[in-house]
Amino acid sequence: MATALSSAGRCLLSSVPSNVITSDTFPMHDLPDTDFTQRFIFDESDVRGELVALERSYAEVLAKHPYPEPVAQLLGELMAAAALLVGTLKFDGLLILQARSSGAVPLLMVECSSERELRGIARYDETLITPDAGLQDLMPDGSLALTVDPHKGKRYQGIVALDGVDLSESLSNYFVMSEQLGTRFWLKADGHRARGLLLQQLPAAQITDPEERDASWEHVITLASTLTAEEMLGLDNQTILHRLYHEDPVRLFDAQPICFRCSCSRERSANALVSLGLEDAQQLVIEHNGSIEIDCQFCNERYLFDATDVAQLFAGGGVDSPSDTRH
């Protein structure tokens, strides 16, 4: 079938993406969920990529709190970014993206574990938010902290100013400033689904000439920059890659599922009480009419502890079954 090309060299009409290789063991149409990341590489250049699709986990995060549309979109983009970054890091632990500002959205926070379990939250002042607000309207003079908290080893944190026009540009700037391998992000969310694309240079292997290497990198990011929000949010990964790179040999690997999961628990809440000390915990019970209620800010789960529970905790009796936990 004939294909039409845009001036940027993109294929606008869909056809069988013969240059995109998928694994028969986990084809796209057999995915058990709507949420996954998928890695791909260019066979003839030193570039790798990652695509992420979030729908169910995004919906679960938004169901916990009523966010205005611009805030929901920004939170979805940060969730997509966290999922993409976890795919590039080889570690066991937790990745935390935390954006802060003095504007209408003072806090955006997303956590993604190495097991690809996501949760996220935002704080906002609705009176300061307009329907078409973007990153700089919502988070002026903001900063983004990227924290890697491994189960073993040292914690690492990097901070970058939120000085891009959007989160995609700000995250890309982080990698430029940290002098790491070339890395670019494209992030989109619409309150129903969140998608992301990451491209990253690899150490020279296929192409060793510096000028050719730079030209190859410029080629793949220029084509990626032609991807529209509608295409990113509405097309499957194979179609996206074919439309962008139909002239480049691309290999698409197995999809890796992602899910929403909050790490809060009755046991962790009990440990927080124990850290206060017996006297302070008992005083809290008295001040709160006989029971302490600990709320999880991420998922709104509530854990109740009365005087008997507190006494049992400090007597070394552990945490009872959550029969008195209100969901």
Side-chain angles (χ1 to χ4, degrees):
M1 182 179 73
T3 56
L5 301 179
S6 71
S7 59
R10 287 183 46 206
C11 178
L12 298 181
L13 298 180
S14 63
S15 61
V16 178
S18 57
N19 66 312
V20 177
I21 303 170
T22 61
S23 169
D24 291 334
T25 62
F26 202 175
M28 292 287 294
H29 59 270
D30 287 338
L31 280 170
D33 212 333
T34 55
D35 298 40
F36 54 89
T37 61
Q38 204 163 12
R39 185 167 65 95
F40 62 93
I41 62 171
F42 293 83
D43 284 337
E44 296 179 357
S45 61
D46 301 311
V47 179
R48 66 173 294 276
E50 192 102 13
L51 286 154
V52 61
L54 302 175
E55 192 167 330
R56 183 175 301 177
S57 56
Y58 185 31
E60 290 192 60
V61 167
L62 297 185
K64 306 298 180 183
H65 301 278
Y67 294 118
E69 186 173 340
V71 179
Q73 291 175 357
L74 206 56
L75 184 57
E77 291 178 9
L78 197 65
M79 289 176 64
L84 289 172
L85 284 167
V86 162
T88 70
L89 301 172
K90 295 181 179 179
F91 79 111
D92 291 324
L94 192 66
L95 171 74
I96 305 165
L97 293 181
Q98 188 175 80
R100 291 188 175 275
S101 81
S102 58
V105 180
L107 173 69
L108 275 179
M109 184 175 178
V110 173
E111 295 180 353
C112 187
S113 72
S114 50
E115 290 77 27
R116 291 179 168 82
E117 296 173 347
L118 272 170
R119 67 177 187 170
I121 192 171
R123 294 281 179 255
Y124 63 93
D125 183 345
E126 192 166 11
T127 64
L128 301 177
I129 297 173
T130 57
D132 58 348
L135 175 64
Q136 294 305 323
D137 303 307
L138 298 172
M139 305 191 78
D141 302 316
S143 63
L144 176 67
L146 186 157
T147 304
V148 177
D149 190 7
H151 295 318
K152 296 180 180 179
K154 293 183 178 180
R155 200 178 208 224
Y156 167 82
Q157 184 177 80
I159 299 176
V160 66
L162 286 175
D163 53 4
V165 296
D166 52 24
L167 276 175
S168 303
E169 185 175 320
S170 297
L171 271 169
S172 298
N173 290 343
Y174 169 82
F175 282 87
V176 171
M177 292 179 61
S178 59
E179 298 182 351
Q180 300 186 41
L181 293 170
T183 304
R184 288 287 303 273
F185 291 82
W186 290 264
L187 306 166
K188 296 295 178 183
D190 64 0
H192 300 285
R193 58 187 67 84
R195 299 292 300 268
L197 165 64
L198 174 148
L199 291 174
Q200 188 172 60
Q201 281 186 308
L202 298 172
Q206 302 285 346
I207 302 174
T208 56
D209 180 79
E211 290 187 4
E212 291 183 13
R213 180 174 166 83
D214 289 344
S216 173
W217 175 241
E218 188 65 28
H219 166 72
V220 296
I221 64 173
T222 297
L223 290 180
S225 297
T226 67
L227 190 65
T228 67
E230 291 76 15
E231 289 171 323
M232 181 175 280
L233 292 169
L235 299 177
D236 62 74
N237 289 348
Q238 288 173 271
T239 303
I240 286 175
L241 290 180
H242 180 61
R243 288 196 175 189
L244 293 177
Y245 305 116
H246 66 285
E247 294 181 348
D248 299 291
V250 178
R251 241 186 307 163
L252 184 63
F253 292 88
D254 293 352
Q256 302 295 321
I258 303 173
C259 67
F260 167 81
R261 182 161 295 154
C262 191
S263 58
C264 73
S265 68
R266 183 171 176 79
E267 182 178 4
R268 293 183 69 173
S269 299
N271 290 338
L273 283 179
V274 171
S275 69
L276 295 176
L278 176 59
E279 186 175 335
D280 286 345
Q282 289 176 329
Q283 185 61 35
L284 280 175
V285 171
I286 295 171
E287 292 175 359
H288 291 81
N289 299 318
S291 65
I292 304 170
E293 183 178 283
I294 298 179
D295 298 345
C296 175
Q297 296 183 0
F298 283 91
C299 69
N300 285 332
E301 196 82 17
R302 297 178 178 180
Y303 301 96
L304 291 176
F305 297 86
D306 59 20
T308 302
D309 295 324
V310 170
Q312 181 176 321
L313 286 174
F314 285 91
V319 183
D320 283 338
S321 61
S323 58
D324 57 343
T325 301
R326 188 165 71 248
H327 296 273

